[in-house]
Amino acid sequence: MAATNQKEEAATEYVESHKVLQLIDNMTAMLVFHQPKNPRKFLIENLEKLKIAQESGFHFPTLISDENLVAVFDILDPIQRGYITRDQYTTALQTLGVEKFNNYPIGAEINQINKQTFLREAKEGLSKSAATYKE
């Protein structure tokens, strides 16, 4: 029994430390979202993109596009002041599924986070969330 528990623990540690479940979840979500005619080719291409992102530090592609992020900002700034509050920023990133982000980006000190800052922080946070490799 002890050997079985050790193997289970080692397997669990491996899966968690290498983010295997997150990788499978992200790849499945991308497949369902894009519904490519050739799923295997699509998976291979996205795994290659992940490898490039890991090696180069480039952002890994996510389901949320730049246009989507602009739309989120614009919804939060309906009178086009050019900024959102820190609370809006935090809530938006959490709603988008970003787990780790800069809590005090440029503009937070005056409670005015502009679109450029929001987009940069959102892309970086989404990329980190989509980074299904050991950091």
Side-chain angles (χ1 to χ4, degrees):
M1 287 278 191
T4 301
N5 284 342
Q6 284 180 326
K7 285 184 179 186
E8 286 178 14
E9 289 175 14
T12 299
E13 169 62 28
Y14 178 85
V15 168
E16 289 176 358
S17 70
H18 292 282
K19 299 184 176 185
V20 173
L21 295 178
Q22 291 92 329
L23 173 63
I24 293 169
D25 285 347
N26 284 349
M27 291 292 118
T28 302
M30 292 185 81
L31 273 173
V32 171
F33 182 78
H34 294 287
Q35 297 185 5
K37 291 185 191 246
N38 187 338
R40 287 184 180 156
K41 180 180 177 188
F42 179 84
L43 287 171
I44 290 167
E45 289 171 354
N46 277 284
L47 288 169
E48 289 171 350
K49 288 177 186 177
L50 176 62
K51 183 178 178 184
I52 291 168
Q54 181 182 16
E55 292 172 351
S56 66
F58 288 132
H59 295 297
F60 183 70
T62 66
L63 293 177
I64 300 171
S65 68
D66 290 354
E67 293 81 16
N68 297 143
L69 294 174
V70 168
V72 168
F73 185 91
D74 290 345
I75 288 168
L76 296 172
D77 183 26
I79 58 174
Q80 300 178 348
R81 297 176 298 181
Y83 63 86
I84 58 175
T85 67
R86 184 179 167 276
D87 285 343
Q88 289 174 307
Y89 161 85
T90 300
T91 301
L93 292 182
Q94 290 170 341
T95 302
L96 291 169
V98 177
E99 296 172 0
K100 296 179 181 178
F101 57 89
N102 182 356
N103 285 305
Y104 294 95
I106 296 171
E109 67 281 355
I110 58 172
N111 208 26
Q112 295 181 0
I113 298 166
N114 68 29
K115 187 182 283 188
Q116 180 182 1
T117 299
F118 174 78
L119 295 176
R120 182 184 62 249
E121 296 292 336
K123 283 191 247 184
E124 186 174 321
L126 287 166
S127 184
K128 286 178 183 176
S129 295
T132 51
Y133 50 82
K134 190 173 182 178
E135 293 182 39

